[in-house]
Amino acid sequence: MSERENIFARIKEALTIHAHAHHGTGLPTAADQRRVMPSVGATTDEQFALFAKNAADLKATFKIVQDETELRSELTALAAAEKWVRIATHKSSLAGALAASLNLPTLMTDEGCDKHELEKCDAGISECDALVAQTGTVVVTSRTAGGRALSCLPPHHVVIARREQFVADLPAAFALIRQKHGANYPSMISFITGPSRTGDIERILVLGAHGPKKLTIFCL
Amino acid sequence: MSAPATHFTEDATRVAHDLRHRGIIQTAMGKYETVRDQRKMWFQDWQGARNLAARTKFEAINHLDTHLAEFARLLESRGTKVHWASDAAQAREIIFEILRAKKAKVVVKSKAMTSEEIHLNDAMEKAGYEVIESDLGEYIVQLREEPPYHLVFPAMHLTRGEIKDLFQKKLNDAPSDDPEALTMVARRALRKKYLQADVGITGANFCIAETGMISITENEGNARLTSALPKTMITLVGIEKVLPRLEDLALFLPMLAVMGTGQALTCYNTMYGGPRQPGEADGPEEYHVVLLDNHRTLLLADAEQRDSLGCIRCGACLNVCPIFRNVGGHTYGTVYGGPIGSVITPHLRGLQDWKHLSYASSLCGACTETCPVKIDLHHHLLQNRRNASAPKTGKPSFFQKLAFKIFAPVANRPALWSLTTKVSRVGMKLRGLVNGSALDPAQAWTKTRDLPPVAKQSFREWWKEREQ
């Protein structure tokens, strides 16, 4: 017998003895989850404000911009303030075009790129799949945000989002992922909640442990 | 006593008297308790959430065969190689085979308790591989050549000064004892290793059956990089980690964050469903998932304690345990410390050698009360005590019998009982003269504790006085 068969035989034998369900049976629905989870407010305006508050608590920067012109000038100002020399991004209707407008040497990750080159970039600019109000989370995938490393290797991750990408809570975020990618999931889906952090030394918060030290979210 | 029991008793005695250690743990736990409680209140119904989590885990564990088969099938359908290991030696051999095939030299790891369980680092280092733990806390304890102190905070027993000295000695790079500066030292050192690494090894917090994905929860981004940069990725995970549906994460991710670190959500919660897929920019060319039994099926066969397989390794039971807080994480001598470790270690590593852990508890129930998936921890400790003593003779010892032979006639005769209490009061006064010394008849107890005084008045005496 293979080890797989051995393990399954042991599991099946073990499960012939029934355990008592002390806390009920059946899988909870999204409505069950929502009844117990943190409330997010009833209106979209409240949820928008909640995202902004969460982002601030997480030490991420969240900016609402009216149009692409304002977005371009914000991004240009950010590039100048942080003295970006090299950036990385991916082909996309918003992020890619914006990055091009900065006139900086730009690494495109779409076809795969040298990880040493990506590591030298000052910022990674990507799109996202959703913004989650409940927790201040940005959802990215390997298919829609330029791969796995772009949102994690450069020291500053800049996210370009659209207002319609807002979802209220985590159950809605997972429902969206299923609806959008259910037929063929990307190999990576990441819920990013603030810039990289650690508390491993005396439980004192330090930003930028291994991932980005800064996270900026622009919302059109 | 078994060797682990002797080790436990000696270390517990030493650490419990170490006031410096106690200070460090109290400070760290104080900070944790404040944020954890704020986050619990942020939930609309925390107890309701625990019930839903317990129910979900019950469904997952009690249909483990179905979920596990589905999980493996879906992973394989998208190009992942799934391996099965019944024990630690098999798991190590599977991983070594991959390392050999890939001609790997440098291996970067993100936190995996399963790898502690199979002593993977030790084996890889002995075989000549360069192995780097990338989680900051794990990196620190790796440099100190010691096991992690705590499931979630591996280096919580160390001060910044000690970490500075360690970095100075091992890395020759420690500008100050500022936590930020020290973190940046590790960031610089590990960036180089990430770019060199041939293979990345991770653990997993959850296995999603219905979509064939693993889920990793982390704050630093080290697991993100481990799974993005090396050409080969390996995940070593216990077979019990399944959740039925992707949507179950909506509840489990925030609950794990709240109980683990007091955050609303951990910084990175990432689901991986395979190697780099067609059209994707990067990611490993090969992805291997190693599913580890290592006696988990023994625990599964114990229907009474099966719920302990639902553990999400948040560490909350360690944090509230008065024993853990006094004897510290290393005293247990186990991979999994604290109450959950005391429950599962006798199953995973042998009841007779590890039964002493069932007594590393005041049975206060704080662990059971805090557990986000409602594992009945303190009752399981009692069941382990029962299971450990039953097979021997099932009969009390000579001294136990003698004690009850004397106690029973006294307790059955009110006059004799009353006389005994009166004598005890005098006895207590006399014993006060020798309290705690070698002459004290209750020395085994009074060496480290106060003996509660006999009441000045018994209930019967009080009642009589009241009637007059």
Side-chain angles (χ1 to χ4, degrees):
Chain A
M1 274 210 300
S2 70
E3 265 340 292
R4 184 189 200 276
E5 285 163 353
N6 288 335
I7 291 174
F8 271 95
R10 288 196 294 271
I11 293 173
K12 288 206 166 96
E13 199 194 328
L15 290 179
T16 55
I17 313 161
H18 287 281
H20 183 72
H22 294 281
H23 311 290
T25 54
L27 290 170
T29 63
D32 292 334
Q33 290 179 345
R34 286 198 171 103
R35 259 195 297 279
V36 299
M37 287 175 69
S39 65
V40 288
T43 66
T44 46
D45 281 347
E46 278 175 307
Q47 290 161 10
F48 217 63
L50 179 61
F51 185 91
K53 185 191 169 293
N54 281 329
D57 288 349
L58 289 161
K59 301 189 180 356
T61 309
F62 174 57
K63 274 193 180 152
I64 301 165
V65 289
Q66 296 312 315
D67 51 30
E68 286 187 43
T69 321
E70 193 189 338
L71 181 53
R72 203 169 298 133
S73 65
E74 282 281 355
L75 200 60
T76 312
L78 188 62
E82 295 199 343
K83 301 189 177 69
W84 292 351
V85 177
R86 244 183 307 237
I87 56 168
T89 187
H90 62 110
K91 280 187 205 135
S92 49
S93 57
L94 272 178
L98 270 166
S101 73
L102 289 175
N103 288 320
L104 289 171
T106 304
L107 183 70
M108 301 302 284
T109 61
D110 304 83
E111 312 297 326
C113 62
D114 183 352
K115 56 192 176 186
H116 295 87
E117 291 301 313
L118 182 59
E119 211 269 331
K120 287 180 197 145
C121 292
D122 299 301
I125 304 175
S126 84
E127 301 208 339
C128 69
D129 276 47
L131 301 179
V132 189
Q134 191 168 41
T135 49
T137 300
V138 181
V139 183
V140 300
T141 76
S142 48
R143 193 179 297 147
T144 50
R148 296 190 186 195
L150 177 62
S151 54
C152 200
L153 198 56
H156 193 156
H157 179 207
V158 181
V159 179
I160 314 289
R162 290 187 178 83
R163 173 128 195 182
E164 59 267 26
Q165 288 181 313
F166 259 89
V167 295
D169 55 13
L170 290 168
F174 281 104
L176 179 85
I177 290 169
R178 178 181 296 276
Q179 182 211 334
K180 193 169 169 188
H181 301 294
N184 180 21
Y185 285 106
S187 72
M188 183 208 78
I189 303 165
S190 194
F191 283 57
I192 302 174
T193 311
S196 158
R197 59 195 58 216
T198 185
D200 274 347
I201 302 175
E202 292 190 10
R203 304 272 296 126
I204 293 165
L205 176 72
V206 178
L207 296 182
H210 288 293
K213 297 173 189 175
K214 289 183 181 170
L215 173 67
T216 303
I217 305 153
F218 287 114
C219 182
L220 265 173
Chain B
M1 271 205 286
S2 65
T6 312
H7 163 91
F8 184 93
T9 317
E10 284 170 8
D11 278 16
T13 312
R14 181 173 52 77
V15 181
H17 287 90
D18 180 348
L19 295 182
R20 184 176 159 280
H21 170 269
R22 189 178 300 184
I24 295 172
I25 303 308
Q26 300 284 27
T27 311
M29 289 307 177
K31 289 182 189 174
Y32 161 82
E33 281 163 4
T34 313
V35 284
R36 178 203 61 195
D37 289 348
Q38 282 167 359
R39 288 300 175 190
K40 274 163 73 174
M41 283 189 287
W42 171 64
F43 271 67
Q44 294 179 78
D45 178 3
W46 176 256
Q47 296 307 328
R50 291 177 69 216
N51 267 323
L52 295 186
R55 253 166 66 183
T56 309
K57 278 288 188 177
F58 182 89
E59 292 293 330
I61 302 291
N62 284 282
H63 300 99
L64 187 59
D65 48 348
T66 325
H67 294 312
L68 212 48
E70 181 74 347
F71 171 69
R73 184 183 68 77
L74 284 165
L75 268 176
E76 280 165 349
S77 74
R78 284 150 51 83
T80 303
K81 179 88 182 75
V82 179
H83 308 263
W84 302 82
S86 282
D87 57 31
Q90 284 178 9
R92 284 195 301 267
E93 190 42 42
I94 291 165
I95 291 168
F96 274 118
E97 223 165 85
I98 301 166
L99 296 182
R100 282 193 294 265
K102 295 287 124 194
K103 298 191 170 55
K105 290 190 184 73
V106 181
V107 179
V108 68
K109 283 185 66 210
S110 70
K111 198 169 162 49
M113 293 310 290
T114 39
S115 78
E116 300 287 336
E117 210 180 307
I118 68 166
H119 303 291
L120 182 60
N121 285 11
D122 209 30
M124 286 197 295
E125 278 163 8
K126 279 200 184 111
Y129 297 101
E130 187 184 355
V131 185
I132 305 106
E133 286 288 351
S134 59
D135 173 89
L136 178 59
E138 293 279 348
Y139 182 59
I140 292 167
V141 295
Q142 187 190 25
L143 289 178
R144 281 175 62 94
E145 294 170 31
E146 66 181 19
Y149 180 90
H150 182 287
L151 287 174
V152 179
F153 317 119
M156 78 179 292
H157 59 305
L158 301 172
T159 61
R160 59 181 90 181
E162 288 168 301
I163 295 167
K164 174 185 183 279
D165 294 346
L166 176 73
F167 281 8
Q168 189 58 50
K169 196 171 130 203
K170 298 274 178 160
L171 305 172
N172 203 19
D173 186 5
S176 78
D177 66 357
D178 172 43
E180 176 155 13
L182 291 171
T183 304
M184 292 310 132
V185 170
R187 180 183 169 107
R188 281 195 296 274
L190 288 165
R191 274 287 161 124
K192 284 183 211 142
K193 297 298 173 190
Y194 272 120
L195 296 172
Q196 288 172 10
D198 311 292
V199 174
I201 300 181
T202 78
N205 296 85
F206 305 101
C207 298
I208 312 302
E210 169 230 27
T211 57
M213 293 173 189
I214 61 136
S215 176
I216 301 180
T217 294
E218 48 138 0
N219 267 314
E220 300 182 0
N222 60 313
R224 285 281 311 268
L225 293 178
T226 304
S227 57
L229 302 179
K231 284 192 169 167
T232 305
M233 173 178 171
I234 303 173
T235 297
L236 174 66
V237 60
I239 53 170
E240 84 286 13
K241 284 269 170 279
V242 291
L243 279 180
R245 308 163 305 178
L246 189 61
E247 285 81 352
D248 294 321
L249 291 176
L251 185 68
F252 277 90
L253 298 181
M255 288 185 78
L256 174 58
V258 168
M259 294 318 274
T261 54
Q263 288 171 283
L265 207 57
T266 316
C267 193
Y268 298 100
N269 285 286
T270 312
M271 290 118 249
Y272 298 97
R276 176 186 188 175
Q277 299 292 299
E280 289 185 347
D282 54 8
E285 289 163 8
E286 268 185 39
Y287 182 36
H288 299 264
V289 172
V290 183
L291 288 161
L292 179 69
D293 178 349
N294 210 21
H295 302 124
R296 283 166 174 76
T297 41
L298 280 180
L299 193 46
L300 189 71
D302 185 338
E304 205 171 41
Q305 297 188 41
R306 187 177 290 163
D307 64 347
S308 51
L309 285 173
C311 173
I312 58 173
R313 309 274 188 259
C314 65
C317 61
L318 283 64
N319 302 341
V320 298
C321 178
I323 309 300
F324 180 88
R325 290 167 73 132
N326 279 295
V327 306
H330 287 146
T331 298
Y332 289 84
T334 57
V335 175
Y336 307 102
I340 183 66
S342 299
V343 168
I344 65 176
T345 305
H347 294 268
L348 302 181
R349 293 173 69 177
L351 183 57
Q352 290 309 325
D353 277 350
W354 296 93
K355 64 182 177 189
H356 60 283
L357 292 180
S358 319
Y359 297 89
S361 164
S362 62
L363 298 178
C364 67
C367 47
T368 308
E369 202 178 316
T370 202
C371 177
V373 293
K374 296 189 99 168
I375 300 170
D376 200 0
L377 289 157
H378 72 292
H379 285 117
H380 294 340
L381 291 173
L382 277 176
Q383 288 149 4
N384 279 344
R385 293 184 189 183
R386 177 201 64 201
N387 296 347
S389 65
K392 274 194 288 179
T393 56
K395 284 177 195 152
S397 74
F398 170 74
F399 285 105
Q400 280 171 326
K401 276 194 272 187
L402 183 70
F404 279 96
K405 276 238 165 77
I406 299 168
F407 177 75
V410 176
N412 277 324
R413 292 176 179 75
L416 199 52
W417 179 262
S418 162
L419 181 69
T420 312
T421 3
K422 285 193 183 104
V423 171
S424 308
R425 278 185 209 123
V426 181
M428 279 298 281
K429 280 204 185 107
L430 293 175
R431 202 199 53 82
L433 302 172
V434 293
N435 189 22
S437 76
L439 291 171
D440 188 346
Q443 202 226 3
W445 177 274
T446 53
K447 215 165 33 172
T448 53
R449 286 159 285 215
D450 289 332
L451 193 67
V454 180
K456 287 204 177 71
Q457 201 176 26
S458 75
F459 176 77
R460 290 166 68 93
E461 286 161 353
W462 173 80
W463 190 259
K464 239 184 224 162
E465 204 177 278
R466 186 180 160 278
E467 285 196 322
Q468 279 163 10

